[in-house]
Amino acid sequence: MTQLTLITRSGTHDVPVELNETVVAIAKKHKVTWGHACQRGLCAQCRTQVLEGASFLNEITSEEKLRLRKAERAEGFRLGCQIRIVEQGNVKLAHRPY
């Protein structure tokens, strides 16, 4: 069984992979605190670092290109409201707000 690991300030949470759902939606469903406000890619409160499993995620969205600097994206930063798991596999993400 594939696993989604969410790392927050309150600890590490292992939840089931849910295809085509945003990370913010998955966290909310499993009562994992994952800061967010707009859910449209504007506020960046859901800034997330992909630690493992980037190949199982959707491509970087235009919202992420507008909000995150190129250097951040190169370091694996994405927006939790834009990240969707599109293929089964183990994914590890860390909530890293500014």
Side-chain angles (χ1 to χ4, degrees):
M1 186 169 148
T2 58
Q3 197 71 30
L4 171 59
T5 302
L6 301 174
I7 301 169
T8 68
R9 290 183 179 150
S10 65
T12 300
H13 311 272
D14 291 320
V15 299
V17 167
E18 295 181 42
L19 296 180
N20 298 311
E21 285 289 336
T22 67
V23 170
V24 168
I26 294 169
K28 204 180 224 182
K29 181 178 180 179
H30 294 280
K31 297 180 178 23
V32 174
T33 302
W34 204 270
H36 67 281
C38 71
Q39 295 188 51
R40 293 184 321 238
L42 301 174
C43 74
Q45 289 184 27
C46 62
R47 185 172 170 257
T48 301
Q49 188 169 26
V50 179
L51 303 175
E52 201 176 292
S55 63
F56 303 118
L57 305 177
N58 63 322
E59 296 292 321
I60 291 175
T61 66
S62 57
E63 291 83 1
E64 290 173 298
K65 288 178 182 175
L66 287 172
R67 186 61 180 91
L68 299 171
R69 293 185 313 271
K70 195 173 188 176
E72 287 178 292
R73 295 193 314 265
E75 292 175 21
F77 286 99
R78 304 269 319 258
L79 296 176
C81 68
Q82 299 296 306
I83 299 171
R84 294 179 186 275
I85 301 171
V86 294
E87 190 178 321
Q88 289 290 335
N90 292 324
V91 176
K92 184 184 283 189
L93 306 171
H95 185 227
R96 301 274 191 253
Y98 291 103

